[in-house]
Amino acid sequence: MILLREQLMITARRDITPGIFSLRFRDAEMAAQSHPGQFLMIRTSPHPYPLWRRAFSIARVYPETSELEILILKVGKGSQQLGMLGPGDSVNVLGPLGTPFDVESARNRQAILVGGGIGIAPLLFLADRLLPIAQSVHILFGARTAGQLIPMGQLEPYTEIITEDGSAGKTGRVTDFLRPLLLHSTDHPVIYACGPNPMLKQVQFLAETHGIPCQLSLETYMACGMGVCMGCPVPARTPDRPYYYACVDGPVFHADQIQFEE
Ligand SMILES: Cc1cc2nc3c(=O)[nH]c(=O)nc-3n(C[C@H](O)[C@H](O)[C@H](O)COP(=O)(O)OP(=O)(O)OC[C@H]3O[C@@H](n4cnc5c(N)ncnc54)[C@H](O)[C@@H]3O)c2cc1C
Ligand code: FES
C-alpha cells in the first residue's frame, strides 16, 4: 500500500561529505512496509517550484526506532532545497513505491552488489537484508573520486572501494573488478546493481557473458512516481511491449528485460 504523509517530520540529518547528506524520518507503518530497492517521492519545497516530487531510494530502515533514511546528493534545485532542512522540519512524502529487489534469490548464494556513486543508497538497505540469508556478501562501491564516497560503517568488511582517479581504494571502474570476481566465483553468485546507465549496461553485459542472474535498479528521471504521467519509459528487450515504466515496473528490473541505448 502506498502511504501519503503530508507532514513527515525529519528526525535526524547527517552531513556525510560536502555534497552528500542523509535525512531520517520516523514512520512505523512506512518502515514496516518498505523493501530494498523501493523509493520515496518527496516534495522538496512547499512552494510550486519544483512542481514534481523527487525520488529517493530507501537507504536504510531502522526497525528499532521505526525510522527510514535516505541519502541525498546535491545536484539541482530539489536536492538543494532538501539540503536546507534539518530535524524538526517536515516534508510531504509518498511511498514506499516501486518494485523491490528480489532478496530471496540470493539465499545461500554469493551476493555481489555493485554500486556507482549515489547508486550505493538502495544497496545499503539491500545488504542489511542479505547478510542473514546469503552465503556471502561482496560490495563493489565505485566513485569518480574519494570525495564522492560515503563511509560504509558496519558494511565496511564486505566492501571493496574503487575510485576512477585512485584517490581511495583500488584504481579503475567498478566493472573492472566485477569481471575477475565473476571469473573466479564458485559460489553461484547473484548480482544486484544500481548506478549510472553506462555502468549498468556493462554489468548487464558481464552478467550475460558469465550466465549470472542479475537485477538492476535504474535511476530514470521520474515525475509522478506512480504510473500516471508515462514520463519514465525504459526501452524493453521483450517482444511483447516496447517500454516499461521505471516507477511501477521498476526501478528494479532483471537485466535481461532492459535494452540500454547503444
Ligand atoms: C528510483 C530513483 C531513486 C533515486 N534515488 C536517489 C537517491 O537515493 N539519492 C539521490 O541523491 N538521488 C536519487 N535519485 C535522483 C533524484 O530523484 C533527483 O533526480 C536528484 O536529486 C536531482 O534532483 P534536483 O531537483 O536536485 O535536480 P534537478 O534540478 O531536477 O536536475 C539537475 C540536473 O540533473 C539532471 N537530472 C536529475 N535527475 C536525473 C536523473 N535521475 N537522471 C538523469 N538526469 C537527471 C536534470 O536533467 C538536470 O540537468 C533517484 C532517482 C530515481 C528515479
Ligand atoms: S514517473 Fe510518472 S509514470 Fe513513471
Side-chain angles (χ1 to χ4, degrees):
M1 190 177 51
I2 302 169
L3 304 167
L4 171 64
R5 303 291 188 240
E6 291 187 13
Q7 295 277 320
L8 188 57
M9 194 188 287
I10 296 167
T11 50
R13 172 193 169 118
R14 192 161 55 105
D15 288 286
I16 301 169
T17 72
I20 301 176
F21 63 100
S22 73
L23 296 177
R24 285 199 201 188
F25 311 96
R26 183 169 295 117
D27 189 301
E29 206 180 353
M30 207 177 266
Q33 289 187 25
S34 296
H35 299 281
Q38 290 189 299
F39 61 94
L40 305 176
M41 290 298 284
I42 300 183
R43 200 178 290 289
T44 58
S45 159
H47 306 293
Y49 179 74
L51 184 62
W52 298 103
R53 296 161 193 270
R54 296 293 187 258
F56 294 95
S57 300
I58 300 166
R60 279 250 151 81
V61 164
Y62 299 92
E64 61 283 3
T65 57
S66 299
E67 285 176 297
L68 302 100
E69 188 169 38
I70 56 170
L71 289 183
I72 302 149
L73 171 70
K74 289 183 205 164
V75 179
K77 189 76 181 165
S79 49
Q80 277 163 15
Q81 282 172 333
L82 287 179
M84 292 188 283
L85 305 180
D89 292 322
S90 295
V91 280
N92 179 308
V93 179
L94 194 63
L97 292 155
T99 305
F101 288 111
D102 176 5
V103 176
E104 274 301 313
S105 64
R107 185 174 283 279
N108 301 325
R109 300 174 71 151
Q110 180 189 30
I112 300 177
L113 280 56
V114 187
I118 199 67
I120 196 69
L123 303 184
L124 303 176
F125 185 16
L126 176 66
D128 289 344
R129 292 288 167 91
L130 287 173
L131 279 169
I133 67 158
Q135 190 179 90
S136 62
V137 174
H138 191 117
I139 305 171
L140 295 171
F141 177 20
R144 274 203 293 279
T145 187
Q148 296 171 349
L149 294 166
I150 61 151
M152 294 296 279
Q154 74 270 31
L155 294 175
E156 211 172 288
Y158 309 97
T159 305
E160 204 176 330
I161 297 288
I162 298 135
T163 51
E164 287 182 30
D165 65 0
S167 52
K170 295 179 178 159
T171 308
R173 294 174 181 224
V174 267
T175 44
D176 301 337
F177 295 87
L178 176 61
R179 191 190 301 268
L181 205 58
L182 299 182
L183 271 176
H184 299 119
S185 177
T186 51
D187 297 331
H188 306 289
V190 178
I191 303 172
Y192 300 91
C194 184
N197 276 2
M199 183 200 95
L200 295 182
K201 186 178 174 183
Q202 183 64 8
V203 172
Q204 179 195 52
F205 170 75
L206 290 172
E208 287 176 352
T209 306
H210 294 271
I212 292 167
C214 176
Q215 297 168 48
L216 305 174
S217 180
L218 272 55
E219 294 172 332
T220 309
Y221 205 30
M222 292 178 185
C224 73
M226 47 194 306
V228 177
C229 72
M230 305 295 163
C232 60
V234 176
R237 230 194 234 179
T238 36
D240 53 322
R241 54 185 294 183
Y243 291 104
Y244 292 110
Y245 289 98
C247 64
V248 282
D249 301 315
V252 178
F253 294 92
H254 287 278
D256 59 6
Q257 291 179 283
I258 302 303
Q259 183 65 54
F260 287 105
E261 280 172 22
E262 290 306 317

